[in-house]
Amino acid sequence: MTRPAAPAPRGVRTDRPPSAGAGAGPRRPSVRALVTRGALPVAMVLWLVSLRHVRLERMDDLGLIEVLPVLFWVALGLLTLGFAVQLRGPRLSHAWSAAYVVGLIAIVHATPSLLHPDVRYSWAWKHVEVVDAFLRHGGPVPRPGWLDIYNQWPGFFAVNGLVLRATGLPSAMGYAHWATPVADVLLIGPLILLYRTITRDWRLVWGAVWIFFSCMWIGQDYFAPQTFGFLLFVTVLAMVLKQLAPVRPPGAPADPPPAGATGAAAVREGWRPTRFLMVLLLVAVLVTSHQLTPLMLIVFLTALSLPRRNRRVVLPVLACAVVLQAVWLATAARPYISANLRSFVAVVASPDANAPTWLTGLGSPAPGQVLLAWVDRGLSAAVVLLAAVALLRRPWTRRTALPYLLIAPMPMPALNSYGGEMIFRAYLFALPAAAMLVSALVLRTGAPARWRWRVRLRAVASFALLLAFLGGLVFGYYGKEMMESFTSREVAATEFLYRTAPAGSLVVTVTNNVPDIDKDYDQHDRVVIAWNQLENRKLLVRDPLAGLDQAVSLAAPPGPVYLVLNRAQTAECYITGVLPADTVPRLEAAVDGSHLFSPVFRNSDAVVYELVDHNAPEIQPHPQQQPQQPRSQQQHGGQP
């Protein structure tokens, strides 16, 4: 009879392989572990080193893509390789997964912040000035001009005002420079919460988070109400889905779902009062902060309420969202709704309302921008197509909320163009669901031992696909950098303007692409010639000085008049084709040769003129005409 082995003493490992001798040293880390732990730090170092060799003055049609060195692309590829390897490892580390996603956000979204000393994108400058104006006036801004829409949706600006008062910062400009990477990092939590309501497979969850940030080329993550609203939107959706019980339909599925895959089906026990009040608070803040996102939330909640088993959870939130939105539109936002009701009805009946801006411009877009448009649309189409294939190839996904979340925003472009941007916004709001579906399709793990070659082939294919996603992303995100960033000399011109221009001045620009041009917007009037009627723009192209004279005379200014021309306005005309590429240089030459305006500030990137002959016959008002904002500005107040 064999004697039982004596129990091992406490502290002695018994899971050592049989071949390991008593004197064997610690096991060496595997190649997979070395790649996982080494790729991230090496990629980040290569990225930071690569930024030292960027020459921004060499940018052309394709923006940053043309000036980023090889090391940058090596860093991005190495980071993707490390993430793909660790995602398929035997043990998934949440810490490493989160670190890789943050690394991706840093490389893609912090690069412009590191390369440019000032805030990127003119709309971000505008939003900073709105926050400052709200602080100066302690609330809504009197005499806001064309920015009156922000008085009617003040939530985002009020929240930032509270942040400034709590921190003691003098202006939001200090953190608006880093708003994009910070906003994206904050979005990781709501995305994980949303995806965990769909599946308990953490590999699919982290894969979906990575794919989301790899395909979000729309650029709606800067310092803006849209960014704030989208963060609230994803959070509310995740909290609603979390209330739906994970009930699997009877019968074994043909395609077994990953471990813990759940369906948004029967209701658990309804809403707890505290959680429901938290959701209502988020919805209320969202309703007061942005025009479009609350409507998108209502559309999504309506789609989620279609299955009867979901209604006990979804309908109370949907009803409250509808009531809050209706009350807000009927009270605080009533002036905007009344002024734009006809245009809302008109765009529904306009099949061409979603045409890109450059299709109706007077110039042609830069050649590189045509390529960029095809790449962006190709990436969007590929993501939606792969998501649709996932619904067919992964039956378990059809028992979740993913089909409703994917399809919900698709009809929106037919209802309102949102300045020609609705089709892109629909993609943005469908992207969280699409990213989860693509993850379920391409990152599926596990296979019989005899099919290991399929696992390896799938791993290589998924890595190539992740690289392709990032390739498409950089085109959309960096392709307009030449017009979306500003030099310190352009900023100096605007600073001089507002140091010297007295209150009541009129500031004229060709386009709105000027840094901080809306500073003290409640004290100055603005004219953007590219936003005037088509006849006025044609006159500017035909005869620059006559077009300028007409723009000033239409405004009938009572005080001083200033004209600001800069490099970024020239770049916008060239990149977008809103006006011929030589419009700004021709106007500058015409003004220099006239007696109407005198230059009061000039450097290599910008010039500021002041009107010196107010009584010239060309400047006299023309009461029969009125300046007109373009359709995109009328519909949503210029909110991009």
Side-chain angles (χ1 to χ4, degrees):
M1 188 173 184
T2 306
R3 295 182 61 185
R10 178 174 295 181
V12 177
R13 292 184 56 183
T14 59
D15 58 347
R16 193 182 304 275
S19 59
R27 297 178 62 185
R28 294 180 179 179
S30 64
V31 175
R32 187 191 301 273
L34 289 175
V35 173
T36 299
R37 299 172 185 175
L40 176 61
V42 172
M44 301 307 290
V45 170
L46 292 178
W47 165 58
L48 292 173
V49 171
S50 73
L51 298 185
R52 301 176 58 187
H53 305 286
V54 175
R55 299 294 179 263
L56 295 175
E57 66 276 5
R58 298 179 182 176
M59 286 192 298
D60 204 351
D61 291 20
L62 295 178
L64 274 179
I65 299 175
E66 297 177 288
V67 298
L68 289 172
V70 175
L71 275 183
F72 178 90
W73 307 110
V74 172
L76 200 56
L78 185 60
L79 187 80
T80 307
L81 176 63
F83 177 79
V85 168
Q86 73 88 31
L87 198 64
R88 292 185 175 275
R91 292 183 179 180
L92 182 69
S93 169
H94 296 309
W96 279 104
S97 298
Y100 270 101
V101 171
V102 173
L104 174 67
I105 293 172
I107 290 181
V108 173
H109 299 294
T111 292
S113 299
L114 290 172
L115 291 177
H116 300 294
D118 296 298
V119 174
R120 175 179 181 255
Y121 205 34
S122 62
W123 299 98
W125 289 82
K126 176 189 67 174
H127 297 145
V128 169
E129 291 303 334
V130 175
V131 173
D132 291 346
F134 267 69
L135 281 177
R136 286 199 308 270
H137 296 283
V141 181
R143 198 177 173 275
W146 73 282
L147 296 181
D148 63 332
I149 190 172
Y150 296 124
N151 280 353
Q152 298 159 43
W153 276 275
F156 170 77
F157 307 103
V159 169
N160 279 276
L162 292 176
V163 172
L164 293 179
R165 291 186 184 278
T167 59
L169 294 173
S171 171
M173 195 70 72
Y175 58 83
H177 190 59
W178 297 97
T180 295
V182 171
D184 289 334
V185 169
L186 292 177
L187 190 57
I188 294 175
L191 284 174
I192 291 177
L193 181 62
L194 175 65
Y195 293 146
R196 286 289 286 169
T197 67
I198 305 298
T199 178
R200 296 186 183 278
D201 188 334
W202 276 103
R203 298 177 196 277
L204 297 187
V205 170
W206 282 113
V209 173
W210 178 279
I211 291 172
F212 175 85
F213 288 111
S214 298
C215 300
M216 193 179 65
W217 65 269
I218 303 296
Q220 293 300 320
D221 50 0
Y222 62 104
F223 186 72
Q226 171 70 85
T227 304
F228 181 62
F230 189 74
L231 178 64
L232 296 177
F233 167 85
V234 176
T235 304
V236 171
L237 273 189
M239 296 180 69
V240 170
L241 290 179
K242 190 174 177 61
Q243 289 298 116
L244 301 178
V247 176
R248 181 177 299 178
D255 183 14
T262 63
V267 178
R268 212 171 261 161
E269 71 277 348
W271 285 100
R272 297 179 181 176
T274 53
R275 185 172 296 177
F276 186 73
L277 289 176
M278 185 180 302
V279 170
L280 289 190
L281 176 61
L282 294 178
V283 173
V285 175
L286 178 59
V287 165
T288 65
S289 299
H290 197 241
Q291 309 93 53
L292 174 65
T293 311
L295 298 177
M296 281 290 190
L297 178 64
I298 290 173
V299 169
F300 273 74
L301 293 175
T302 302
L304 288 176
S305 67
L306 293 179
R308 182 177 300 178
R309 56 185 173 268
N310 292 351
R311 293 174 184 171
R312 185 180 174 189
V313 164
V314 178
L315 286 182
V317 181
L318 174 59
C320 291
V322 170
V323 170
L324 289 173
Q325 178 73 353
V327 169
W328 191 260
L329 294 180
T331 55
R334 184 176 179 180
Y336 175 79
I337 298 299
S338 300
N340 293 275
L341 186 59
R342 289 185 178 179
S343 65
F344 292 152
V345 176
V347 295
V348 174
S350 302
D352 62 339
N354 279 321
T357 303
W358 57 267
L359 289 181
T360 56
L362 297 179
S364 300
Q369 293 300 303
V370 178
L371 171 64
L372 182 147
W374 280 107
V375 172
D376 292 343
R377 285 150 183 78
L379 173 61
S380 304
V383 171
V384 174
L385 178 61
L386 289 172
V389 172
L391 290 173
L392 297 176
R393 298 284 296 173
R394 303 289 182 260
W396 68 269
T397 61
R398 298 198 294 269
R399 298 189 299 273
T400 69
L402 292 176
Y404 303 99
L405 301 182
L406 178 68
I407 298 173
M410 297 306 178
M412 293 299 289
L415 301 178
N416 194 301
S417 71
Y418 205 65
E421 297 178 357
M422 183 63 82
I423 190 170
F424 305 128
R425 300 302 178 94
Y427 170 79
L428 173 65
F429 283 91
L431 186 56
M436 183 73 247
L437 287 167
V438 175
S439 178
L441 179 66
V442 303
L443 299 180
R444 182 184 179 189
T445 57
R450 63 182 182 276
W451 290 347
R452 287 299 178 185
W453 64 273
R454 292 190 179 183
V455 176
R456 296 188 181 95
L457 182 61
R458 189 184 298 126
V460 173
S462 62
F463 170 64
L465 184 64
L466 295 181
L467 283 180
F469 284 159
L470 286 176
L473 171 72
V474 296
F475 270 85
Y477 206 77
Y478 293 154
K480 290 183 171 64
E481 194 68 23
M482 187 169 71
M483 60 169 272
E484 291 178 346
S485 58
F486 304 104
T487 66
S488 57
R489 291 180 291 274
E490 292 175 280
V491 176
T494 312
E495 290 177 348
F496 170 84
L497 170 67
Y498 287 110
R499 282 199 309 267
T500 58
S505 298
L506 174 69
V507 179
V508 182
T509 58
V510 175
T511 74
N512 198 48
N513 205 26
V514 184
D516 212 16
I517 194 63
D518 292 300
K519 184 178 178 63
D520 298 333
Y521 64 91
D522 54 321
Q523 301 177 26
H524 303 284
D525 293 322
R526 291 280 315 284
V527 167
V528 181
I529 303 177
W531 292 353
N532 281 347
Q533 294 177 348
L534 181 60
E535 293 76 12
N536 305 136
R537 288 180 279 152
K538 287 182 177 179
L539 179 60
L540 178 72
V541 173
R542 198 167 54 245
D543 186 342
L545 196 58
L548 173 63
D549 292 343
Q550 186 176 61
V552 175
S553 65
L554 290 176
V561 178
Y562 295 89
L563 170 67
V564 181
L565 303 177
N566 66 327
R567 177 206 59 85
Q569 292 182 75
T570 304
E572 183 175 6
C573 293
Y574 171 65
I575 291 293
T576 66
V578 63
L579 288 166
D582 63 346
T583 299
V584 175
R586 289 177 60 228
L587 177 59
E588 182 176 352
V591 172
D592 282 336
S594 75
H595 64 280
L596 297 177
F597 287 83
S598 173
V600 292
F601 180 93
R602 191 192 296 268
N603 60 35
S604 58
D605 286 343
V607 58
V608 178
Y609 297 94
E610 183 178 3
L611 178 66
V612 295
D613 191 356
H614 243 291
N615 297 319
E618 301 93 336
I619 304 301
Q620 298 311 304
H622 295 276
Q624 71 276 12
Q625 300 183 32
Q626 293 297 327
Q628 176 181 336
Q629 291 182 348
R631 181 167 53 196
S632 62
Q633 303 301 323
Q634 293 172 342
Q635 289 167 0
H636 54 94
Q639 172 60 43

